[in-house]
Amino acid sequence: MPSASAAEAPSQPSSGNSVRKLVGRQRIAAADTVTPLPLASQPTDLLGVTFRDGEEKSTYLGDWMEACDTDGFLVMHEGHIITEIYSHDMTPSTNHGLGSLTRNVVASAIAILADQRKLDLDAPVETYMPELSKSGFAGATIQQLLDMRSGVSSSMMKIAQAMGWSSAEEGKPPPT
Protein backbone atom coordinates (compact mmCIF):
# COMPACT_ATOMS: atom_id res chain seq x y z
CA MET A 1 0.00 0.00 0.00
CA PRO A 2 1.36 3.45 -0.81
CA SER A 3 2.42 5.72 2.03
CA ALA A 4 0.37 8.64 3.35
CA SER A 5 1.18 10.49 0.13
CA ALA A 6 -1.49 8.34 -1.52
CA ALA A 7 -4.07 10.72 -0.04
CA GLU A 8 -2.57 13.65 -1.92
CA ALA A 9 -3.23 14.69 -5.52
CA PRO A 10 -2.62 13.52 -8.18
CA SER A 11 -2.27 9.92 -6.98
CA GLN A 12 -5.55 9.91 -5.05
CA PRO A 13 -7.83 8.51 -7.79
CA SER A 14 -5.67 5.45 -8.37
CA SER A 15 -4.83 5.04 -4.67
CA GLY A 16 -8.54 4.79 -3.91
CA ASN A 17 -8.49 1.55 -5.84
CA SER A 18 -6.08 0.18 -3.21
CA VAL A 19 -8.96 -0.09 -0.77
CA ARG A 20 -9.22 -3.80 -1.61
CA LYS A 21 -5.97 -4.21 0.35
CA LEU A 22 -7.87 -3.10 3.46
CA VAL A 23 -11.33 -4.48 2.88
CA GLY A 24 -12.76 -6.93 0.40
CA ARG A 25 -14.62 -5.94 -2.72
CA GLN A 26 -17.45 -7.70 -4.42
CA ARG A 27 -18.27 -7.20 -8.06
CA ILE A 28 -21.99 -6.58 -8.54
CA ALA A 29 -23.23 -8.05 -11.79
CA ALA A 30 -25.35 -5.93 -14.09
CA ALA A 31 -28.96 -6.87 -14.63
CA ASP A 32 -29.79 -9.02 -17.66
CA THR A 33 -31.39 -6.00 -19.27
CA VAL A 34 -29.77 -2.61 -18.81
CA THR A 35 -31.78 0.47 -19.67
CA PRO A 36 -29.49 3.36 -20.54
CA LEU A 37 -30.26 6.72 -19.01
CA PRO A 38 -31.71 9.12 -21.57
CA LEU A 39 -29.52 11.98 -22.76
CA ALA A 40 -30.83 15.52 -22.96
CA SER A 41 -31.57 16.68 -26.50
CA GLN A 42 -28.91 19.35 -26.01
CA PRO A 43 -26.21 18.41 -23.48
CA THR A 44 -25.02 21.39 -21.43
CA ASP A 45 -21.39 22.37 -20.84
CA LEU A 46 -21.31 23.26 -17.16
CA LEU A 47 -17.51 23.66 -16.81
CA GLY A 48 -17.81 27.45 -17.22
CA VAL A 49 -20.51 27.84 -14.58
CA THR A 50 -19.32 29.82 -11.55
CA PHE A 51 -20.23 29.39 -7.90
CA ARG A 52 -18.93 30.58 -4.54
CA ASP A 53 -16.53 28.06 -3.02
CA GLY A 54 -16.00 27.39 0.69
CA GLU A 55 -13.88 30.54 0.97
CA GLU A 56 -16.62 32.61 -0.77
CA LYS A 57 -14.46 33.04 -3.89
CA SER A 58 -16.10 32.92 -7.30
CA THR A 59 -14.89 29.66 -8.88
CA TYR A 60 -15.47 27.98 -12.23
CA LEU A 61 -16.87 24.46 -11.90
CA GLY A 62 -14.19 23.14 -14.28
CA ASP A 63 -11.38 24.68 -12.20
CA TRP A 64 -12.91 23.34 -8.98
CA MET A 65 -13.23 19.84 -10.46
CA GLU A 66 -9.58 19.92 -11.54
CA ALA A 67 -8.41 21.18 -8.12
CA CYS A 68 -10.41 18.43 -6.40
CA ASP A 69 -9.21 15.69 -8.80
CA THR A 70 -12.81 14.88 -9.73
CA ASP A 71 -12.80 11.76 -11.88
CA GLY A 72 -16.48 11.53 -12.71
CA PHE A 73 -19.27 14.09 -12.82
CA LEU A 74 -22.85 13.60 -13.99
CA VAL A 75 -25.85 15.93 -13.76
CA MET A 76 -29.42 14.84 -14.44
CA HIS A 77 -32.40 17.12 -14.89
CA GLU A 78 -35.96 15.92 -15.34
CA GLY A 79 -34.76 12.35 -15.93
CA HIS A 80 -32.17 13.19 -18.61
CA ILE A 81 -28.38 13.41 -18.45
CA ILE A 82 -27.43 16.99 -19.26
CA THR A 83 -23.70 16.76 -18.44
CA GLU A 84 -21.37 13.76 -18.13
CA ILE A 85 -17.62 14.28 -17.71
CA TYR A 86 -14.79 11.82 -16.91
CA SER A 87 -11.08 12.31 -16.24
CA HIS A 88 -8.14 10.34 -14.77
CA ASP A 89 -8.76 7.50 -17.27
CA MET A 90 -12.31 7.02 -15.95
CA THR A 91 -15.06 6.03 -18.37
CA PRO A 92 -18.77 5.30 -17.89
CA SER A 93 -17.87 1.62 -17.42
CA THR A 94 -14.81 2.01 -15.14
CA ASN A 95 -15.12 0.32 -11.75
CA HIS A 96 -15.08 3.00 -9.09
CA GLY A 97 -14.51 2.72 -5.36
CA LEU A 98 -17.84 2.32 -3.62
CA GLY A 99 -16.94 4.78 -0.87
CA SER A 100 -16.63 7.60 -3.36
CA LEU A 101 -20.08 6.85 -4.71
CA THR A 102 -21.72 5.99 -1.40
CA ARG A 103 -20.88 9.19 0.43
CA ASN A 104 -23.16 11.21 -1.89
CA VAL A 105 -26.11 8.92 -1.24
CA VAL A 106 -25.43 8.82 2.51
CA ALA A 107 -25.05 12.62 2.67
CA SER A 108 -28.38 13.02 0.87
CA ALA A 109 -30.08 10.62 3.28
CA ILE A 110 -28.55 12.46 6.25
CA ALA A 111 -29.78 15.80 4.86
CA ILE A 112 -33.31 14.40 4.61
CA LEU A 113 -33.18 13.04 8.17
CA ALA A 114 -31.79 16.34 9.47
CA ASP A 115 -34.51 18.26 7.64
CA GLN A 116 -37.11 15.99 9.27
CA ARG A 117 -35.40 16.65 12.63
CA LYS A 118 -34.69 12.94 13.06
CA LEU A 119 -30.93 13.49 13.14
CA ASP A 120 -28.92 16.27 14.79
CA LEU A 121 -25.95 17.37 12.68
CA ASP A 122 -24.24 18.79 15.78
CA ALA A 123 -24.46 15.51 17.73
CA PRO A 124 -21.36 13.33 18.15
CA VAL A 125 -21.29 10.40 15.73
CA GLU A 126 -21.41 7.89 18.60
CA THR A 127 -24.92 9.16 19.42
CA TYR A 128 -26.06 7.20 16.37
CA MET A 129 -23.23 4.66 16.08
CA PRO A 130 -22.05 3.75 19.61
CA GLU A 131 -19.47 1.34 18.18
CA LEU A 132 -17.44 4.38 17.05
CA SER A 133 -16.99 5.60 20.64
CA LYS A 134 -13.61 3.86 20.87
CA SER A 135 -12.39 4.86 17.42
CA GLY A 136 -10.60 7.89 16.04
CA PHE A 137 -14.04 9.24 15.09
CA ALA A 138 -15.19 9.53 18.74
CA GLY A 139 -16.34 13.07 19.51
CA ALA A 140 -16.61 14.12 15.87
CA THR A 141 -20.00 15.55 14.97
CA ILE A 142 -22.12 14.35 12.07
CA GLN A 143 -21.50 17.74 10.41
CA GLN A 144 -17.72 17.32 10.77
CA LEU A 145 -17.93 13.91 9.14
CA LEU A 146 -20.04 15.31 6.29
CA ASP A 147 -17.46 18.08 5.83
CA MET A 148 -14.65 15.48 6.00
CA ARG A 149 -13.17 17.46 8.90
CA SER A 150 -13.23 14.87 11.68
CA GLY A 151 -9.48 15.13 12.27
CA VAL A 152 -8.92 11.59 10.98
CA SER A 153 -6.47 11.43 8.08
CA SER A 154 -7.86 10.37 4.72
CA SER A 155 -5.02 7.91 4.18
CA MET A 156 -6.57 4.45 3.87
CA MET A 157 -4.15 3.04 6.45
CA LYS A 158 -4.94 5.84 8.90
CA ILE A 159 -8.66 5.19 8.42
CA ALA A 160 -8.08 1.49 9.07
CA GLN A 161 -6.22 2.39 12.26
CA ALA A 162 -8.94 4.86 13.34
CA MET A 163 -11.57 2.17 12.89
CA GLY A 164 -9.55 -0.28 14.96
CA TRP A 165 -8.83 -2.55 11.98
CA SER A 166 -5.11 -2.37 12.69
CA SER A 167 -2.92 -0.67 15.24
CA ALA A 168 -0.44 2.08 14.55
CA GLU A 169 2.30 -0.18 15.90
CA GLU A 170 1.43 -3.04 13.58
CA GLY A 171 0.72 -0.86 10.55
CA LYS A 172 -0.98 -3.82 8.86
CA PRO A 173 -4.37 -4.08 7.20
CA PRO A 174 -6.96 -6.35 8.82
CA PRO A 175 -6.97 -10.03 7.92
CA THR A 176 -9.15 -10.91 4.92
Side-chain angles (χ1 to χ4, degrees), residues 41-59:
S41 58
Q42 292 184 325
T44 305
D45 180 6
L46 297 178
L47 296 178
V49 170
T50 60
F51 67 96
R52 296 232 176 258
D53 67 12
E55 297 173 1
E56 293 299 315
K57 294 179 188 170
S58 182
T59 304

Side-chain angles (χ1 to χ4, degrees), residues 25-120:
R25 279 191 173 181
Q26 180 66 40
R27 185 168 186 78
I28 301 171
D32 292 335
T33 305
V34 177
T35 304
L37 295 170
L39 298 174
S41 58
Q42 292 184 325
T44 305
D45 180 6
L46 297 178
L47 296 178
V49 170
T50 60
F51 67 96
R52 296 232 176 258
D53 67 12
E55 297 173 1
E56 293 299 315
K57 294 179 188 170
S58 182
T59 304
Y60 286 106
L61 178 61
D63 292 342
W64 180 81
M65 288 172 55
E66 185 176 324
C68 294
D69 285 317
T70 302
D71 49 19
F73 183 78
L74 184 140
V75 176
M76 291 188 74
H77 180 68
E78 296 181 351
H80 292 83
I81 296 173
I82 61 169
T83 297
E84 187 171 11
I85 301 166
Y86 299 95
S87 60
H88 300 93
D89 298 324
M90 294 289 289
T91 69
S93 60
T94 303
N95 287 337
H96 198 282
L98 188 58
S100 295
L101 301 171
T102 304
R103 76 176 142 238
N104 300 311
V105 175
V106 170
S108 296
I110 288 172
I112 291 167
L113 291 170
D115 187 59
Q116 294 172 348
R117 302 192 189 283
K118 294 180 179 177
L119 185 137
D120 178 5

